[in-house]
Amino acid sequence: MTTYRFTCIVCPLGCSIEVEVENGKVKDVKGCRCPRGKEWAVQEVTNPKRVVMSVLPVEGGALPTVSVKTAEPVPKEKIPELMKFLANLKLKAPVKAGETVAEWEGIKIVATRGA
C-alpha cells in the first residue's frame, strides 16, 4: 500500500490529508474536515489537474503581451503539449479581458487582461 500526504489547498483550513492507495485504487482518505478536500485529494492522486497560466505576444497593442489562463483545469500530463500550442500563438490587438483568444482540445484559453 502507498500513502500520499498533502496539505489541502481547497479552503483556508489547510488540512493535512493522507490518501491510501492499494493496487491503483483509493482505499482510505484521512484528515479532511470537508467533503471538498476529500474530493480534491482523491483527484490529486488519481487524475491531477491544473489551471495553466501563461503570456502571449500581442501585435499592435498598447502592451507587448497579454496574460492568459485556461478556463478549466488541464490534466498535468497534457501541460507540456498545451505549452507547445501556446508557444505558437500570436494575438492581434485589441484583446479584451475575459475574451476567449484560442481553444485547445475543447478548453478555452482566456485573456486575463486587455492589450
Side-chain angles (χ1 to χ4, degrees), residues 56 66-70 91 95-102 108-115:
L56 297 177
V66 66
S67 54
V68 296
K69 70 174 193 159
T70 56
L91 306 178
V95 177
K96 296 180 181 173
E99 176 182 350
T100 298
V101 297
K108 293 178 181 179
I109 311 300
V110 180
T112 59
R113 70 169 168 86

Side-chain angles (χ1 to χ4, degrees), residues 1 22 32 35 47 59-60 63 67 79-81 88 92 98-99:
M1 181 162 1
E22 189 173 359
C32 302
N47 185 24
E59 290 181 356
L63 299 168
S67 54
I79 291 174
E81 185 182 331
N88 292 315
K92 293 191 186 292
E99 176 182 350

Side-chain angles (χ1 to χ4, degrees), residues 16-34:
S16 294
I17 300 174
E18 289 187 1
V19 180
E20 294 177 353
V21 178
E22 189 173 359
N23 298 322
K25 294 187 180 194
V26 174
K27 291 295 182 186
D28 195 18
V29 180
K30 300 175 187 171
C32 302
R33 289 185 262 174
C34 73

Side-chain angles (χ1 to χ4, degrees), residues 13-86:
L13 293 175
C15 297
S16 294
I17 300 174
E18 289 187 1
V19 180
E20 294 177 353
V21 178
E22 189 173 359
N23 298 322
K25 294 187 180 194
V26 174
K27 291 295 182 186
D28 195 18
V29 180
K30 300 175 187 171
C32 302
R33 289 185 262 174
C34 73
R36 291 185 316 155
K38 181 177 182 179
E39 182 181 315
W40 172 82
V42 169
Q43 180 180 335
E44 193 63 21
V45 169
T46 60
N47 185 24
K49 296 180 179 182
R50 301 288 184 268
V51 171
V52 177
M53 295 170 257
S54 188
V55 294
L56 297 177
V58 178
E59 290 181 356
L63 299 168
T65 61
V66 66
S67 54
V68 296
K69 70 174 193 159
T70 56
E72 60 191 80
V74 175
K76 273 180 69 174
E77 72 272 2
K78 291 196 164 227
I79 291 174
E81 185 182 331
L82 170 60
M83 294 306 290
K84 286 179 186 175
F85 170 79
L86 292 175

